[in-house]
Amino acid sequence: MRPSRREFLKWVSASGIALSLSRLGSAEAAGLPPRASLPGQGNWNPASGGVGRIDGVAKVTGAKLYASDFRASDLPGWPAKTSHAILVRAPDATHVYTGMDLARLSGAAKPSVVVTAADLDRIGTRVPEFYTGDLFCPIGKTPIYMGQPVALLIFETFEAFDQARLALRDGTFVKFGEETGPVTIADYGAYRFTRVAGATPDAPDVYSPLLAGWVSPGRSQKSPLPVWSPAAKDTQAPYAKAAVYGEQIRSELAAKNPNLLVLDREFETQSVDPMFLEPESGLAWYNGKSGSLELVLGVQSPYEAAESIAHLLGKAKAPFKPARINAQFTYVGGGFGGRDHTTFVLYVALAAMFFPGHPVRLAHDRLQQFQGGIKRHAFKMRSRIGVDRSTGKIQAFAADHVLDGGGLANFSANVATCGATAAIGIYDIPKVDVTTVALHSRGVTAGSMRGYGTLQTMTALEVLVDEVAAALPLDPIEFRRRNALRPNGRTMTGNPYIVSVRTTDILDKLEKHPIWQQRAQRKLDAPNGTLVGTGVACVTKDYGTGGDCSLGRVELSPEGKVVIYCDHVEMGNGIGTALANRVAIHLGAVADEVSVARVDSYDALGLVTSGDSYTIDQKTQDAAEKNPRWVPAISSATSASIGAHVGTHSAAEAARVIFRFGLWPAALELWRIAPGDPRAKDSSKAQWKDGQLVMPGLDPLPFPALAAKAHARNLVTGAVAHSFSRWAWSRARFPLGGEQYRAEIDALAVRKGNGKFARINRVSVKFPPTDNNRIGTAYTSMCGTVVRVEIERATGALRIAKAYSVFECGQALVPEVVLGQAQGGFAMGVGYALFETLPLYEGGPGNGQWNLGQYLVARGSDLPLHDLEIEMLPPLTPDEPPKGMAEVVMVPVVPAILNAIFDATGRRFQSLPVTANLLKGVLA
């Protein structure tokens, strides 16, 4: 059984390491820069409607601090001087690595320490399972991917480091011998998703992943691609059954049926870089005297990063095994998935361990970030679609996806399954068969990135759907409307969504928008030499992973000050302000302090976990949950658009407890309402207005007065909560205030007055069933985009003249941030569609020579800055929970642009990006 954080301290102490994790800058008493924490209501800058940004001013003025901003002299108790490290990577993955020639580093430029694979073997490090592979390529082996680290060079002074990094920039000092060709490694994962619906929409499915489970083909073949045939050797019965149904679907699509329009198309997407503004950076110091390893990191997954470092060093020989690890986490200067489960943190820790007594900074510049940072997967897709010519209804769909996963597995298998289960987008298709495989290659590692596979597969789908509409012919929006999945319809895995499905609302908005209404006239009005086209796309994007956790702690002082702690990460997604707003719904006051990326503030819960929440069986879960402290997982990364939905959930539930068992009874006493009065049970009728609690017929009560009374009467003034979501929230009952309190949490601790937090053992719990792991997705947001492009015939130059995106996200906690995410998503979509691309292998970023000189991103001049309209649909009900939307707002932008290009040129492009040179060639 995996331990709670407190027990983890004891457990790892038994093997020689104690682990603590904290939020850098959260404790002002430590003398840390106040800019390292969110300032709360002291910097509240409300816009219309009372919504503001806690961190907005600091961010736009450059006052907000990130991992790259810190040096040893900024940290209390650290030595003043900072040393620096260079992570050397192999620019070749087809020849044997023979070592480094560091002769060009003479005198002061020589490294103080050189760390190689042999050193890691010598001290006994262990690679965490997620990162399986050599952390450094050993001499005599061929690197398994371009950009694989071969050594860590550590320099005591900045001057030495600065001279060395310039001298080594061309990478030619890394030497290679015999040509071997690329290293062959098994694929990272292969799956088949097949569904055959019943005779009517309400009838049970004949077959689906939800009914039968997820299946993979046998692996007896030597080819890098799986053999998908149900008759292949070593095929197991579960896979064979899916494959038989799948082959029947493909046979129907291949048959010559004059009543069925069948299109068979291929589509390719490229590798790109997340291009977050702050390259990866970290600072570490191993104090040999105390045995403490101190770290300052900026990641999307703090809990995972700390555990990985502890695993790395947990069996190391003395003196390379720290007695304790203290990891402090900062704000993140952009992530987009690229800082989720990154090996970078392991090298930061190693730098300190091999140079004890010296704080060491490891920081990528942009060339190094291109060479070593996580990339978006390149996809190759073949899709076949069959549509009834008379009704315009899609009858069947089949697709085959091949992903380039690069050098390490990372999340490649997950991206493959996410892309596959999203392959039919917003549509209701009764027969579906999709295969997907993620391959190892010598390319830079691909992993988590905004869109997570759905961007690739839905771009291919929406371009194909547009072509179908033109071939029938049907209006593109009308065709989408006829085939849209109804709110209670089943996805391709066989389950319905459990949240609102507003496809029709979005399609109606797109259809009525002037850009769409005026499309024919604008083509006629185009000046000579200019082609005008309008394109549309509508998509859905899941949010969450099916195994998401949230930790939240809320405290209320006698003076009415509110403090919030949360384990999720601020990476430009506005999580701090979202937390403040969601808690304020229950407490009526904006927090005075919001501390994010905190994984150290919930000891009172005493949580324990065991197994893997994604693979655990129901019998094991049922047995484990009898322990009132057990949860399927303790903390998760800030990814998969879960910030608003998951990241704020536990803090909101903690605030709800404080109101129900602290502020509400305080209010009853101030109003002199006896416990037996019927009004005592009307807490749901109370509302916050201008910082006061109001009830009809009663005097308003100021928030500070309620806080003071709650403390004076020793009522609940603080709460800590944990929640878990596997496509549904955990639910539990807790004996509290003389009643059985029910909430969408699974662990709770409360503080009364100024006392200490005490755990309230749950008396019952309902975790989401383990069969939910078969779902693939149950939470979704939807977005549609229409764009008008103007293309200069002579040059191929494309201008986005006007654009409109409409989406829904449930309750928007911070509308300003939501709109900003939509604008940023539009810009990223433009870059992906028209500019950004990385060669996968030789000549690509793995050679260490790529920078923004050759990697083009969308700039302001490429965007319709004054002609981009964003519309956010209001929630369906006042209490609709927030949805994750940061990814969905990017996805339809790409196919809408491609469909507009077709409308203008008559040419459908089947690969990305569509550059000006490609357009010029088509139009010449």
Side-chain angles (χ1 to χ4, degrees):
M1 176 168 286
R2 290 174 63 193
S4 69
R5 178 189 169 274
R6 177 168 290 173
E7 289 174 330
F8 186 56
L9 293 176
K10 300 175 184 176
W11 177 65
V12 291
S13 291
S15 62
I17 301 177
L19 178 67
S20 78
L21 311 126
S22 62
R23 172 72 180 91
L24 181 59
S26 60
E28 292 185 10
L32 296 174
R35 289 179 294 162
S37 63
L38 295 173
Q41 66 179 359
N43 286 58
W44 194 248
N45 183 24
S48 58
V51 178
R53 289 289 303 275
I54 282 181
D55 63 327
V57 173
K59 184 175 181 181
V60 300
T61 59
K64 195 172 180 181
L65 296 179
Y66 303 92
S68 58
D69 291 320
F70 286 92
R71 303 294 187 274
S73 59
D74 298 317
L75 301 167
W78 286 46
K81 189 177 178 181
T82 302
S83 297
H84 298 264
I86 296 174
L87 188 58
V88 179
R89 296 179 180 270
D92 183 295
T94 59
H95 294 76
V96 173
Y97 167 62
T98 59
M100 297 180 296
D101 179 5
L102 299 178
R104 68 184 72 180
L105 301 183
S106 59
K110 288 183 177 181
S112 299
V113 177
V114 177
V115 184
T116 66
D119 296 303
L120 299 194
D121 289 342
R122 174 173 55 85
I123 71 169
T125 58
R126 300 175 301 168
V127 180
E129 183 179 359
F130 185 85
Y131 304 107
T132 298
D134 293 323
L135 287 180
F136 294 115
C137 180
I139 291 176
K141 280 190 175 183
T142 300
I144 58 176
Y145 62 99
M146 297 182 68
Q148 181 181 5
V150 297
L152 190 65
L153 311 182
I154 306 174
F155 303 85
E156 183 171 357
T157 68
F158 177 80
E159 291 74 16
F161 158 80
D162 196 38
Q163 291 179 45
R165 69 183 180 91
L166 295 175
L168 301 177
R169 177 152 286 176
D170 63 7
T172 57
F173 68 99
V174 182
K175 299 301 180 182
F176 297 91
E178 175 190 359
E179 182 175 1
T180 61
V183 176
T184 300
I185 294 177
D187 66 60
Y188 297 136
Y191 300 89
R192 189 165 196 157
F193 296 93
T194 307
R195 176 176 175 254
V196 179
T200 66
D202 296 324
D205 285 344
V206 175
Y207 181 88
S208 73
L210 183 64
L211 295 173
W214 292 17
V215 296
S216 296
R219 297 177 178 269
S220 59
Q221 72 284 352
K222 295 182 180 180
S223 165
L225 293 176
V227 176
W228 298 106
S229 168
K233 183 182 178 183
D234 293 342
T235 293
Q236 300 296 313
Y239 174 77
K241 187 174 183 179
V244 167
Y245 281 118
E247 295 306 316
Q248 290 174 354
I249 293 170
R250 290 165 187 261
S251 295
E252 291 176 19
L253 288 169
K256 303 296 183 181
N257 182 350
N259 298 319
L260 199 66
L261 169 65
V262 177
L263 295 184
D264 185 336
R265 297 291 183 266
E266 294 184 353
F267 199 95
E268 292 189 23
T269 64
Q270 74 279 38
S271 170
V272 302
D273 191 87
M275 266 307 300
F276 37 73
L277 287 179
E278 179 204 27
E280 290 181 271
S281 178
L283 189 63
W285 167 44
Y286 179 47
N287 185 338
K289 294 181 180 179
S290 65
S292 177
L293 173 60
E294 306 280 341
L295 297 130
V296 175
L297 303 169
V299 295
Q300 292 178 232
S301 44
Y303 197 83
E304 181 275 337
E307 284 191 315
S308 293
I309 293 169
H311 181 90
L312 174 74
L313 301 172
K315 297 292 185 179
K317 300 174 183 177
F320 294 93
K321 182 179 182 179
R324 64 188 60 83
I325 297 173
N326 177 36
Q328 300 184 85
F329 297 96
T330 70
Y331 297 125
V332 176
F336 308 117
R339 298 182 196 266
D340 180 10
H341 287 61
T342 168
T343 58
F344 184 84
V345 299
L346 305 180
Y347 298 104
V348 175
L350 288 172
M353 296 307 299
F354 278 93
F355 203 33
H358 300 264
V360 184
R361 182 175 186 261
L362 179 63
H364 280 166
D365 59 22
R366 188 60 66 182
L367 289 97
Q368 294 162 335
Q369 189 65 43
F370 271 116
Q371 188 178 26
I374 295 168
K375 303 294 181 278
R376 185 190 300 283
H377 288 83
F379 271 58
K380 291 184 178 180
M381 295 164 279
R382 182 185 176 191
S383 304
R384 279 137 288 182
I385 192 168
V387 184
D388 187 290
R389 292 180 184 274
S390 62
T391 64
K393 297 293 289 293
I394 305 172
Q395 301 300 302
F397 178 86
D400 302 294
H401 303 160
V402 179
L403 289 67
D404 192 306
L408 297 179
N410 200 272
F411 281 115
S412 284
N414 305 75
V415 173
T417 58
C418 189
T421 56
I424 62 170
I426 64 170
Y427 304 106
D428 186 0
I429 305 178
K431 295 181 179 181
V432 182
D433 183 52
V434 178
T435 71
T436 184
V437 57
L439 301 178
H440 165 267
S441 80
R442 64 188 185 279
V444 178
T445 298
S448 176
M449 189 175 167
R450 190 179 198 175
Y452 209 78
T454 66
L455 176 65
Q456 295 92 323
T457 61
M458 285 196 205
T459 294
L461 174 69
E462 283 296 289
V463 170
L464 179 61
V465 161
D466 223 57
E467 186 174 357
V468 170
L472 283 173
L474 270 178
D475 176 87
I477 292 180
E478 172 58 25
F479 177 72
R480 288 170 168 86
R481 186 181 287 112
R482 289 190 189 186
N483 289 282
L485 184 72
R486 55 198 177 118
N488 60 344
R490 298 189 188 108
T491 70
M492 67 171 288
T493 57
N495 67 285
Y497 292 118
I498 62 173
V499 294
S500 58
V501 176
R502 305 185 65 181
T503 318
T504 301
D505 294 342
I506 289 173
L507 291 173
D508 289 346
K509 289 280 188 178
L510 294 169
E511 186 176 50
K512 294 174 183 177
H513 197 275
I515 296 176
W516 187 251
Q517 292 290 318
Q518 299 167 6
R519 64 191 187 282
Q521 188 62 46
R522 291 296 181 181
K523 287 176 75 76
L524 294 174
D525 294 341
N528 289 336
T530 299
L531 301 174
V532 174
T534 304
V536 69
C538 186
V539 305
T540 180
K541 173 69 179 76
D542 63 311
Y543 55 94
T545 68
D548 301 309
C549 309
S550 177
L551 284 159
R553 172 175 154 188
V554 181
E555 298 179 24
L556 176 62
S557 77
E559 299 77 28
K561 292 184 177 180
V562 177
V563 178
I564 304 171
Y565 301 83
C566 171
D567 62 330
H568 283 242
V569 176
E570 168 60 56
M571 56 180 185
N573 55 349
I575 185 71
T577 305
L579 277 163
N581 279 10
R582 197 167 185 191
V583 166
I585 292 172
H586 302 291
L587 299 187
V590 174
D592 296 85
E593 182 184 340
V594 180
S595 193
V596 295
R598 292 294 294 268
V599 283
D600 64 329
S601 305
Y602 321 98
D603 287 353
L605 298 177
L607 297 176
V608 297
T609 190
S610 58
D612 184 330
S613 65
Y614 296 100
T615 59
I616 191 172
D617 62 78
Q618 192 64 48
K619 182 179 179 180
T620 303
Q621 178 171 285
D622 291 344
E625 70 183 34
K626 293 177 181 178
N627 180 344
R629 295 186 295 138
W630 184 87
V631 292
I634 292 176
S635 183
S636 58
T638 304
S639 60
S641 292
I642 64 172
H645 172 67
V646 174
T648 65
H649 182 80
S650 288
E653 291 300 305
R656 194 193 301 270
V657 169
I658 293 173
F659 176 81
R660 176 66 182 78
F661 298 99
L663 299 184
W664 178 247
L668 296 179
E669 186 164 334
L670 290 171
W671 281 325
R672 297 182 181 178
I673 295 176
D677 191 310
R679 292 175 296 176
K681 298 181 179 181
D682 286 343
S683 62
S684 61
K685 295 182 181 179
Q687 293 183 337
W688 292 103
K689 184 176 181 180
D690 299 327
Q692 295 183 314
L693 188 66
V694 296
M695 280 276 284
L698 298 171
D699 293 333
L701 298 175
F703 177 73
L706 290 167
K709 177 61 72 172
H711 271 271
R713 300 294 292 166
N714 207 38
L715 301 170
V716 173
T717 60
V720 185
H722 178 273
S723 53
F724 173 79
S725 172
R726 184 189 288 125
W727 307 124
W729 285 114
S730 53
R731 298 171 181 267
R733 290 189 296 125
F734 302 89
L736 189 59
E739 64 178 84
Q740 296 290 310
Y741 179 72
R742 293 174 171 83
E744 289 185 330
I745 55 177
D746 46 51
L748 176 67
V750 300
R751 183 192 74 185
K752 295 183 178 180
N754 280 322
K756 295 182 178 180
F757 280 97
R759 184 177 68 249
I760 309 294
N761 281 335
R762 65 197 184 213
V763 294
S764 69
V765 67
K766 184 175 179 58
F767 288 110
T770 60
D771 275 354
N772 279 13
N773 284 319
R774 296 179 175 182
I775 288 175
T777 177
Y779 302 137
T780 190
S781 296
M782 297 187 172
C783 181
T785 298
V786 59
V787 299
R788 181 188 302 146
V789 302
E790 297 174 354
I791 303 172
E792 192 176 271
R793 183 183 292 273
T795 65
L798 181 149
R799 185 178 80 89
I800 301 175
K802 283 187 179 293
Y804 165 70
S805 282
V806 55
F807 64 93
E808 51 88 26
C809 63
Q811 182 68 49
L813 296 177
V814 192
E816 289 177 322
V817 172
V818 171
L819 292 175
Q821 290 279 6
Q823 292 162 350
F826 189 91
M828 289 187 76
V830 171
Y832 189 57
L834 302 178
F835 301 106
E836 297 179 57
T837 186
L838 289 167
L840 286 170
Y841 312 125
E842 286 71 27
N847 66 14
Q849 303 306 307
W850 272 72
N851 207 330
L852 292 175
Q854 62 265 63
Y855 188 78
L856 302 181
V857 297
R859 298 168 295 179
S861 57
D862 302 311
L863 304 171
L865 296 179
H866 303 292
D867 292 289
L868 171 60
E869 181 184 349
I870 304 290
E871 182 175 1
M872 177 172 53
L873 298 182
L876 282 177
T877 61
D879 60 348
E880 184 177 9
K883 290 184 172 187
M885 50 66 62
E887 293 173 281
V888 72
V889 290
M890 178 189 179
V891 179
V893 177
V894 183
I897 291 173
L898 267 62
N899 291 336
I901 290 173
F902 168 76
D903 188 47
T905 66
R907 170 67 181 267
R908 292 199 185 275
F909 289 88
Q910 304 296 333
S911 64
L912 296 175
V914 180
T915 63
N917 282 338
L918 284 176
L919 288 169
K920 182 180 178 180
V922 168
L923 299 174

